[in-house]
PDB file of all heavy atoms in Angstrom:
ATOM      1  N   VAL Q   1      81.343 115.717 121.987  1.00 88.00           N
ATOM      2  CA  VAL Q   1      82.074 114.457 121.942  1.00 88.00           C
ATOM      3  C   VAL Q   1      81.826 113.665 120.641  1.00 88.00           C
ATOM      4  O   VAL Q   1      80.761 113.370 120.272  1.00 88.00           O
ATOM      5  CB  VAL Q   1      81.576 113.364 123.127  1.00 88.00           C
ATOM      6  CG1 VAL Q   1      82.361 112.132 123.081  1.00 88.00           C
ATOM      7  CG2 VAL Q   1      81.695 114.092 124.495  1.00 88.00           C
ATOM      8  N   PRO Q   2      83.075 113.556 119.815  1.00 90.00           N
ATOM      9  CA  PRO Q   2      82.901 112.919 118.535  1.00 90.00           C
ATOM     10  C   PRO Q   2      82.317 111.571 118.553  1.00 90.00           C
ATOM     11  O   PRO Q   2      81.514 111.222 117.597  1.00 90.00           O
ATOM     12  CB  PRO Q   2      84.362 112.775 118.133  1.00 90.00           C
ATOM     13  CG  PRO Q   2      85.047 113.832 118.784  1.00 90.00           C
ATOM     14  CD  PRO Q   2      84.361 113.946 120.281  1.00 90.00           C
ATOM     15  N   ALA Q   3      82.281 110.859 119.616  1.00 92.00           N
ATOM     16  CA  ALA Q   3      81.818 109.496 119.700  1.00 92.00           C
ATOM     17  C   ALA Q   3      80.165 109.668 119.596  1.00 92.00           C
ATOM     18  O   ALA Q   3      79.487 108.543 119.283  1.00 92.00           O
ATOM     19  CB  ALA Q   3      82.088 108.743 120.936  1.00 92.00           C
ATOM     20  N   TYR Q   4      79.704 110.758 119.925  1.00 92.00           N
ATOM     21  CA  TYR Q   4      78.228 110.905 120.057  1.00 92.00           C
ATOM     22  C   TYR Q   4      77.724 111.514 118.513  1.00 92.00           C
ATOM     23  O   TYR Q   4      76.535 111.679 118.419  1.00 92.00           O
ATOM     24  CB  TYR Q   4      77.751 112.030 121.011  1.00 92.00           C
ATOM     25  CG  TYR Q   4      78.152 111.526 122.431  1.00 92.00           C
ATOM     26  CD1 TYR Q   4      78.037 112.375 123.434  1.00 92.00           C
ATOM     27  CD2 TYR Q   4      78.209 110.168 122.733  1.00 92.00           C
ATOM     28  CE1 TYR Q   4      78.359 111.978 124.823  1.00 92.00           C
ATOM     29  CE2 TYR Q   4      78.570 109.857 124.085  1.00 92.00           C
ATOM     30  CZ  TYR Q   4      78.683 110.616 124.977  1.00 92.00           C
ATOM     31  OH  TYR Q   4      78.970 110.331 126.334  1.00 92.00           O
ATOM     32  N   LEU Q   5      78.597 111.706 117.537  1.00 95.00           N
ATOM     33  CA  LEU Q   5      78.148 112.126 116.268  1.00 95.00           C
ATOM     34  C   LEU Q   5      77.238 111.103 115.649  1.00 95.00           C
ATOM     35  O   LEU Q   5      77.543 109.841 115.647  1.00 95.00           O
ATOM     36  CB  LEU Q   5      79.373 112.449 115.448  1.00 95.00           C
ATOM     37  CG  LEU Q   5      80.195 113.653 115.586  1.00 95.00           C
ATOM     38  CD1 LEU Q   5      81.372 113.671 114.810  1.00 95.00           C
ATOM     39  CD2 LEU Q   5      79.382 114.844 115.300  1.00 95.00           C
ATOM     40  N   PRO Q   6      76.209 111.535 115.111  1.00 96.00           N
ATOM     41  CA  PRO Q   6      75.308 110.687 114.249  1.00 96.00           C
ATOM     42  C   PRO Q   6      76.128 110.083 113.080  1.00 96.00           C
ATOM     43  O   PRO Q   6      76.891 110.858 112.497  1.00 96.00           O
ATOM     44  CB  PRO Q   6      74.121 111.442 113.844  1.00 96.00           C
ATOM     45  CG  PRO Q   6      74.063 112.614 114.774  1.00 96.00           C
ATOM     46  CD  PRO Q   6      75.458 112.800 115.141  1.00 96.00           C
ATOM     47  N   PRO Q   7      75.872 108.740 112.722  1.00 96.00           N
ATOM     48  CA  PRO Q   7      76.592 108.273 111.572  1.00 96.00           C
ATOM     49  C   PRO Q   7      76.607 109.256 110.178  1.00 96.00           C
ATOM     50  O   PRO Q   7      77.783 109.375 109.635  1.00 96.00           O
ATOM     51  CB  PRO Q   7      75.994 106.844 111.309  1.00 96.00           C
ATOM     52  CG  PRO Q   7      75.447 106.601 112.640  1.00 96.00           C
ATOM     53  CD  PRO Q   7      74.961 107.890 113.293  1.00 96.00           C
ATOM     54  N   LYS Q   8      75.514 109.746 110.048  1.00 96.00           N
ATOM     55  CA  LYS Q   8      75.458 110.571 108.829  1.00 96.00           C
ATOM     56  C   LYS Q   8      76.354 111.778 108.873  1.00 96.00           C
ATOM     57  O   LYS Q   8      76.934 112.104 107.913  1.00 96.00           O
ATOM     58  CB  LYS Q   8      73.864 111.048 108.630  1.00 96.00           C
ATOM     59  CG  LYS Q   8      73.766 111.849 107.323  1.00 96.00           C
ATOM     60  CD  LYS Q   8      74.006 110.918 106.116  1.00 96.00           C
ATOM     61  CE  LYS Q   8      73.557 111.743 104.835  1.00 96.00           C
ATOM     62  NZ  LYS Q   8      73.929 110.897 103.584  1.00 96.00           N
ATOM     63  N   LEU Q   9      76.497 112.527 110.052  1.00 96.00           N
ATOM     64  CA  LEU Q   9      77.299 113.571 110.096  1.00 96.00           C
ATOM     65  C   LEU Q   9      78.723 113.162 109.975  1.00 96.00           C
ATOM     66  O   LEU Q   9      79.565 113.904 109.405  1.00 96.00           O
ATOM     67  CB  LEU Q   9      77.043 114.210 111.490  1.00 96.00           C
ATOM     68  CG  LEU Q   9      75.741 114.914 111.562  1.00 96.00           C
ATOM     69  CD1 LEU Q   9      75.606 115.729 112.938  1.00 96.00           C
ATOM     70  CD2 LEU Q   9      75.270 115.841 110.482  1.00 96.00           C
ATOM     71  N   LEU Q  10      79.107 112.077 110.663  1.00 97.00           N
ATOM     72  CA  LEU Q  10      80.486 111.623 110.491  1.00 97.00           C
ATOM     73  C   LEU Q  10      80.784 111.269 108.902  1.00 97.00           C
ATOM     74  O   LEU Q  10      81.916 111.723 108.488  1.00 97.00           O
ATOM     75  CB  LEU Q  10      80.762 110.394 111.355  1.00 97.00           C
ATOM     76  CG  LEU Q  10      82.201 109.791 111.308  1.00 97.00           C
ATOM     77  CD1 LEU Q  10      83.140 110.890 111.939  1.00 97.00           C
ATOM     78  CD2 LEU Q  10      82.366 108.495 112.079  1.00 97.00           C
ATOM     79  N   GLU Q  11      79.842 110.663 108.305  1.00 96.00           N
ATOM     80  CA  GLU Q  11      80.063 110.333 106.838  1.00 96.00           C
ATOM     81  C   GLU Q  11      80.356 111.563 106.059  1.00 96.00           C
ATOM     82  O   GLU Q  11      81.235 111.626 105.292  1.00 96.00           O
ATOM     83  CB  GLU Q  11      78.880 109.603 106.465  1.00 96.00           C
ATOM     84  CG  GLU Q  11      78.855 109.356 104.910  1.00 96.00           C
ATOM     85  CD  GLU Q  11      77.602 108.660 104.447  1.00 96.00           C
ATOM     86  OE1 GLU Q  11      76.744 108.294 105.184  1.00 96.00           O
ATOM     87  OE2 GLU Q  11      77.363 108.664 103.179  1.00 96.00           O
ATOM     88  N   LEU Q  12      79.507 112.626 106.252  1.00 95.00           N
ATOM     89  CA  LEU Q  12      79.632 113.907 105.486  1.00 95.00           C
ATOM     90  C   LEU Q  12      80.964 114.554 105.841  1.00 95.00           C
ATOM     91  O   LEU Q  12      81.550 115.206 104.925  1.00 95.00           O
ATOM     92  CB  LEU Q  12      78.417 114.867 105.812  1.00 95.00           C
ATOM     93  CG  LEU Q  12      77.051 114.310 105.398  1.00 95.00           C
ATOM     94  CD1 LEU Q  12      75.912 115.343 105.761  1.00 95.00           C
ATOM     95  CD2 LEU Q  12      77.062 114.098 103.914  1.00 95.00           C
ATOM     96  N   CYS Q  13      81.303 114.543 107.099  1.00 95.00           N
ATOM     97  CA  CYS Q  13      82.596 115.174 107.472  1.00 95.00           C
ATOM     98  C   CYS Q  13      83.837 114.537 106.770  1.00 95.00           C
ATOM     99  O   CYS Q  13      84.778 115.234 106.294  1.00 95.00           O
ATOM    100  CB  CYS Q  13      82.752 115.285 108.956  1.00 95.00           C
ATOM    101  SG  CYS Q  13      81.540 116.447 109.839  1.00 95.00           S
ATOM    102  N   ILE Q  14      83.747 113.201 106.801  1.00 96.00           N
ATOM    103  CA  ILE Q  14      84.840 112.473 106.134  1.00 96.00           C
ATOM    104  C   ILE Q  14      84.923 112.759 104.765  1.00 96.00           C
ATOM    105  O   ILE Q  14      85.983 112.938 104.138  1.00 96.00           O
ATOM    106  CB  ILE Q  14      84.608 110.899 106.415  1.00 96.00           C
ATOM    107  CG1 ILE Q  14      84.982 110.560 107.947  1.00 96.00           C
ATOM    108  CG2 ILE Q  14      85.545 110.090 105.623  1.00 96.00           C
ATOM    109  CD1 ILE Q  14      84.749 109.118 108.275  1.00 96.00           C
ATOM    110  N   LEU Q  15      83.692 112.754 103.972  1.00 95.00           N
ATOM    111  CA  LEU Q  15      83.736 112.992 102.563  1.00 95.00           C
ATOM    112  C   LEU Q  15      84.180 114.382 102.245  1.00 95.00           C
ATOM    113  O   LEU Q  15      84.939 114.560 101.212  1.00 95.00           O
ATOM    114  CB  LEU Q  15      82.227 112.692 101.974  1.00 95.00           C
ATOM    115  CG  LEU Q  15      81.838 111.199 102.008  1.00 95.00           C
ATOM    116  CD1 LEU Q  15      80.367 111.136 101.590  1.00 95.00           C
ATOM    117  CD2 LEU Q  15      82.739 110.403 101.162  1.00 95.00           C
ATOM    118  N   LEU Q  16      83.634 115.240 103.053  1.00 95.00           N
ATOM    119  CA  LEU Q  16      84.090 116.730 102.814  1.00 95.00           C
ATOM    120  C   LEU Q  16      85.597 116.920 102.900  1.00 95.00           C
ATOM    121  O   LEU Q  16      86.252 117.451 102.042  1.00 95.00           O
ATOM    122  CB  LEU Q  16      83.429 117.577 103.844  1.00 95.00           C
ATOM    123  CG  LEU Q  16      83.929 119.099 103.808  1.00 95.00           C
ATOM    124  CD1 LEU Q  16      83.541 119.734 102.463  1.00 95.00           C
ATOM    125  CD2 LEU Q  16      83.239 119.836 104.926  1.00 95.00           C
ATOM    126  N   HIS Q  17      86.202 116.415 104.017  1.00 94.00           N
ATOM    127  CA  HIS Q  17      87.607 116.722 104.204  1.00 94.00           C
ATOM    128  C   HIS Q  17      88.492 115.830 103.219  1.00 94.00           C
ATOM    129  O   HIS Q  17      89.558 116.169 102.854  1.00 94.00           O
ATOM    130  CB  HIS Q  17      88.021 116.406 105.714  1.00 94.00           C
ATOM    131  CG  HIS Q  17      87.620 117.505 106.610  1.00 94.00           C
ATOM    132  ND1 HIS Q  17      86.312 117.430 107.176  1.00 94.00           N
ATOM    133  CD2 HIS Q  17      88.238 118.597 107.015  1.00 94.00           C
ATOM    134  CE1 HIS Q  17      86.171 118.473 107.900  1.00 94.00           C
ATOM    135  NE2 HIS Q  17      87.293 119.189 107.776  1.00 94.00           N
ATOM    136  N   SER Q  18      87.938 114.719 102.721  1.00 94.00           N
ATOM    137  CA  SER Q  18      88.575 113.947 101.565  1.00 94.00           C
ATOM    138  C   SER Q  18      88.536 114.682 100.278  1.00 94.00           C
ATOM    139  O   SER Q  18      89.552 114.792  99.662  1.00 94.00           O
ATOM    140  CB  SER Q  18      87.903 112.676 101.542  1.00 94.00           C
ATOM    141  OG  SER Q  18      88.479 111.909 100.342  1.00 94.00           O
ATOM    142  N   LYS Q  19      87.412 115.372 100.064  1.00 93.00           N
ATOM    143  CA  LYS Q  19      87.196 116.102  98.925  1.00 93.00           C
ATOM    144  C   LYS Q  19      88.181 117.367  98.774  1.00 93.00           C
ATOM    145  O   LYS Q  19      88.734 117.599  97.747  1.00 93.00           O
ATOM    146  CB  LYS Q  19      85.780 116.663  98.904  1.00 93.00           C
ATOM    147  CG  LYS Q  19      85.420 117.231  97.402  1.00 93.00           C
ATOM    148  CD  LYS Q  19      85.388 116.172  96.314  1.00 93.00           C
ATOM    149  CE  LYS Q  19      85.029 116.684  94.906  1.00 93.00           C
ATOM    150  NZ  LYS Q  19      85.025 115.676  93.924  1.00 93.00           N
ATOM    151  N   VAL Q  20      88.465 117.948  99.906  1.00 92.00           N
ATOM    152  CA  VAL Q  20      89.296 119.231  99.869  1.00 92.00           C
ATOM    153  C   VAL Q  20      90.794 118.804 100.318  1.00 92.00           C
ATOM    154  O   VAL Q  20      91.647 119.688 100.627  1.00 92.00           O
ATOM    155  CB  VAL Q  20      88.877 120.170 100.975  1.00 92.00           C
ATOM    156  CG1 VAL Q  20      87.431 120.681 100.558  1.00 92.00           C
ATOM    157  CG2 VAL Q  20      88.656 119.676 102.357  1.00 92.00           C
ATOM    158  N   LYS Q  21      91.065 117.510 100.219  1.00 91.00           N
ATOM    159  CA  LYS Q  21      92.473 116.942 100.469  1.00 91.00           C
ATOM    160  C   LYS Q  21      92.923 117.411 101.860  1.00 91.00           C
ATOM    161  O   LYS Q  21      94.111 117.707 101.958  1.00 91.00           O
ATOM    162  CB  LYS Q  21      93.505 117.629  99.465  1.00 91.00           C
ATOM    163  CG  LYS Q  21      92.994 117.418  98.037  1.00 91.00           C
ATOM    164  CD  LYS Q  21      92.837 116.051  97.498  1.00 91.00           C
ATOM    165  CE  LYS Q  21      92.463 115.856  96.033  1.00 91.00           C
ATOM    166  NZ  LYS Q  21      92.258 114.553  95.676  1.00 91.00           N
ATOM    167  N   GLU Q  22      92.111 117.240 102.848  1.00 91.00           N
ATOM    168  CA  GLU Q  22      92.538 117.416 104.293  1.00 91.00           C
ATOM    169  C   GLU Q  22      92.040 116.325 105.108  1.00 91.00           C
ATOM    170  O   GLU Q  22      91.492 116.433 106.234  1.00 91.00           O
ATOM    171  CB  GLU Q  22      91.990 118.725 104.829  1.00 91.00           C
ATOM    172  CG  GLU Q  22      92.380 119.960 104.103  1.00 91.00           C
ATOM    173  CD  GLU Q  22      93.914 120.387 104.438  1.00 91.00           C
ATOM    174  OE1 GLU Q  22      94.376 119.780 105.394  1.00 91.00           O
ATOM    175  OE2 GLU Q  22      94.550 121.217 103.681  1.00 91.00           O
ATOM    176  N   PRO Q  23      92.415 114.975 104.699  1.00 93.00           N
ATOM    177  CA  PRO Q  23      91.757 113.868 105.533  1.00 93.00           C
ATOM    178  C   PRO Q  23      92.423 113.841 106.852  1.00 93.00           C
ATOM    179  O   PRO Q  23      91.780 113.127 107.831  1.00 93.00           O
ATOM    180  CB  PRO Q  23      92.355 112.751 104.682  1.00 93.00           C
ATOM    181  CG  PRO Q  23      93.491 113.137 103.848  1.00 93.00           C
ATOM    182  CD  PRO Q  23      93.350 114.585 103.607  1.00 93.00           C
ATOM    183  N   HIS Q  24      93.608 114.440 107.137  1.00 91.00           N
ATOM    184  CA  HIS Q  24      94.216 114.281 108.508  1.00 91.00           C
ATOM    185  C   HIS Q  24      93.342 114.864 109.652  1.00 91.00           C
ATOM    186  O   HIS Q  24      93.407 114.508 110.717  1.00 91.00           O
ATOM    187  CB  HIS Q  24      95.605 114.852 108.458  1.00 91.00           C
ATOM    188  CG  HIS Q  24      95.528 116.360 108.098  1.00 91.00           C
ATOM    189  ND1 HIS Q  24      95.439 116.786 106.868  1.00 91.00           N
ATOM    190  CD2 HIS Q  24      95.710 117.345 108.966  1.00 91.00           C
ATOM    191  CE1 HIS Q  24      95.511 118.136 106.938  1.00 91.00           C
ATOM    192  NE2 HIS Q  24      95.601 118.541 108.226  1.00 91.00           N
ATOM    193  N   VAL Q  25      92.548 115.844 109.299  1.00 90.00           N
ATOM    194  CA  VAL Q  25      91.639 116.596 110.150  1.00 90.00           C
ATOM    195  C   VAL Q  25      90.680 115.540 110.699  1.00 90.00           C
ATOM    196  O   VAL Q  25      90.339 115.625 111.907  1.00 90.00           O
ATOM    197  CB  VAL Q  25      90.913 117.634 109.548  1.00 90.00           C
ATOM    198  CG1 VAL Q  25      89.841 118.311 110.420  1.00 90.00           C
ATOM    199  CG2 VAL Q  25      91.852 118.817 108.989  1.00 90.00           C
ATOM    200  N   MET Q  26      90.318 114.371 109.979  1.00 93.00           N
ATOM    201  CA  MET Q  26      89.363 113.519 110.512  1.00 93.00           C
ATOM    202  C   MET Q  26      90.023 112.355 111.139  1.00 93.00           C
ATOM    203  O   MET Q  26      89.346 111.427 111.586  1.00 93.00           O
ATOM    204  CB  MET Q  26      88.461 113.032 109.419  1.00 93.00           C
ATOM    205  CG  MET Q  26      87.606 114.119 108.781  1.00 93.00           C
ATOM    206  SD  MET Q  26      86.423 114.886 110.073  1.00 93.00           S
ATOM    207  CE  MET Q  26      85.595 113.401 110.618  1.00 93.00           C
ATOM    208  N   LEU Q  27      91.383 112.259 111.274  1.00 92.00           N
ATOM    209  CA  LEU Q  27      92.082 111.136 111.639  1.00 92.00           C
ATOM    210  C   LEU Q  27      91.682 110.683 113.215  1.00 92.00           C
ATOM    211  O   LEU Q  27      91.212 109.622 113.394  1.00 92.00           O
ATOM    212  CB  LEU Q  27      93.577 111.283 111.567  1.00 92.00           C
ATOM    213  CG  LEU Q  27      94.331 110.170 112.085  1.00 92.00           C
ATOM    214  CD1 LEU Q  27      94.198 108.876 111.064  1.00 92.00           C
ATOM    215  CD2 LEU Q  27      95.800 110.523 111.973  1.00 92.00           C
ATOM    216  N   ASP Q  28      91.758 111.533 114.128  1.00 91.00           N
ATOM    217  CA  ASP Q  28      91.576 111.205 115.450  1.00 91.00           C
ATOM    218  C   ASP Q  28      90.069 111.199 115.744  1.00 91.00           C
ATOM    219  O   ASP Q  28      89.564 110.366 116.487  1.00 91.00           O
ATOM    220  CB  ASP Q  28      92.138 112.313 116.386  1.00 91.00           C
ATOM    221  CG  ASP Q  28      93.675 112.272 116.497  1.00 91.00           C
ATOM    222  OD1 ASP Q  28      94.202 111.065 116.141  1.00 91.00           O
ATOM    223  OD2 ASP Q  28      94.311 113.166 116.886  1.00 91.00           O
ATOM    224  N   ILE Q  29      89.292 112.036 115.021  1.00 93.00           N
ATOM    225  CA  ILE Q  29      87.760 112.115 115.282  1.00 93.00           C
ATOM    226  C   ILE Q  29      87.198 110.840 114.842  1.00 93.00           C
ATOM    227  O   ILE Q  29      86.319 110.076 115.461  1.00 93.00           O
ATOM    228  CB  ILE Q  29      87.215 113.354 114.657  1.00 93.00           C
ATOM    229  CG1 ILE Q  29      87.705 114.496 115.388  1.00 93.00           C
ATOM    230  CG2 ILE Q  29      85.609 113.285 114.641  1.00 93.00           C
ATOM    231  CD1 ILE Q  29      87.334 115.904 114.832  1.00 93.00           C
ATOM    232  N   GLY Q  30      87.574 110.391 113.611  1.00 95.00           N
ATOM    233  CA  GLY Q  30      87.033 109.113 113.028  1.00 95.00           C
ATOM    234  C   GLY Q  30      87.372 107.999 113.882  1.00 95.00           C
ATOM    235  O   GLY Q  30      86.686 107.069 114.114  1.00 95.00           O
ATOM    236  N   SER Q  31      88.600 107.972 114.334  1.00 93.00           N
ATOM    237  CA  SER Q  31      89.115 106.893 115.192  1.00 93.00           C
ATOM    238  C   SER Q  31      88.370 106.786 116.431  1.00 93.00           C
ATOM    239  O   SER Q  31      88.053 105.673 116.956  1.00 93.00           O
ATOM    240  CB  SER Q  31      90.685 107.051 115.375  1.00 93.00           C
ATOM    241  OG  SER Q  31      91.225 106.019 116.227  1.00 93.00           O
ATOM    242  N   ASP Q  32      88.141 107.900 117.085  1.00 93.00           N
ATOM    243  CA  ASP Q  32      87.434 107.897 118.287  1.00 93.00           C
ATOM    244  C   ASP Q  32      85.973 107.369 118.222  1.00 93.00           C
ATOM    245  O   ASP Q  32      85.515 106.468 118.954  1.00 93.00           O
ATOM    246  CB  ASP Q  32      87.271 109.339 118.888  1.00 93.00           C
ATOM    247  CG  ASP Q  32      88.652 109.801 119.471  1.00 93.00           C
ATOM    248  OD1 ASP Q  32      89.578 109.003 119.666  1.00 93.00           O
ATOM    249  OD2 ASP Q  32      88.686 110.948 119.905  1.00 93.00           O
ATOM    250  N   TRP Q  33      85.392 107.797 117.037  1.00 96.00           N
ATOM    251  CA  TRP Q  33      84.042 107.314 116.712  1.00 96.00           C
ATOM    252  C   TRP Q  33      83.913 105.826 116.671  1.00 96.00           C
ATOM    253  O   TRP Q  33      83.137 105.060 117.153  1.00 96.00           O
ATOM    254  CB  TRP Q  33      83.455 107.998 115.634  1.00 96.00           C
ATOM    255  CG  TRP Q  33      81.950 107.896 115.477  1.00 96.00           C
ATOM    256  CD1 TRP Q  33      81.066 108.808 115.793  1.00 96.00           C
ATOM    257  CD2 TRP Q  33      81.177 106.774 114.926  1.00 96.00           C
ATOM    258  NE1 TRP Q  33      79.825 108.308 115.536  1.00 96.00           N
ATOM    259  CE2 TRP Q  33      79.858 107.072 114.895  1.00 96.00           C
ATOM    260  CE3 TRP Q  33      81.610 105.674 114.308  1.00 96.00           C
ATOM    261  CZ2 TRP Q  33      78.943 106.300 114.371  1.00 96.00           C
ATOM    262  CZ3 TRP Q  33      80.725 104.815 113.706  1.00 96.00           C
ATOM    263  CH2 TRP Q  33      79.482 105.121 113.774  1.00 96.00           C
ATOM    264  N   LEU Q  34      84.889 105.298 115.791  1.00 96.00           N
ATOM    265  CA  LEU Q  34      84.990 103.966 115.475  1.00 96.00           C
ATOM    266  C   LEU Q  34      85.305 103.043 116.681  1.00 96.00           C
ATOM    267  O   LEU Q  34      84.836 101.788 116.720  1.00 96.00           O
ATOM    268  CB  LEU Q  34      85.847 103.542 114.353  1.00 96.00           C
ATOM    269  CG  LEU Q  34      85.520 104.200 112.979  1.00 96.00           C
ATOM    270  CD1 LEU Q  34      86.585 104.099 111.950  1.00 96.00           C
ATOM    271  CD2 LEU Q  34      84.185 103.527 112.434  1.00 96.00           C
TER     272      LEU Q  34
END
């Protein structure tokens, strides 16, 4: 469940997919967590 992700892991996943120009992959997952 994405809402259970530790903050550090979510942070790393957002930064990674931003770096590789694929931010849309984190759209729903980040929204669910927040």
Side-chain angles (χ1 to χ4, degrees):
V1 181
Y4 296 161
L5 284 175
K8 184 62 177 178
L9 295 186
L10 182 64
E11 175 186 348
L12 295 181
C13 288
I14 289 176
L15 290 175
L16 170 64
H17 288 87
S18 173
K19 191 70 180 177
V20 298
K21 310 298 184 185
E22 296 286 347
H24 63 283
V25 175
M26 294 302 301
L27 183 60
D28 285 340
I29 292 174
S31 179
D32 284 354
W33 194 95
L34 293 172

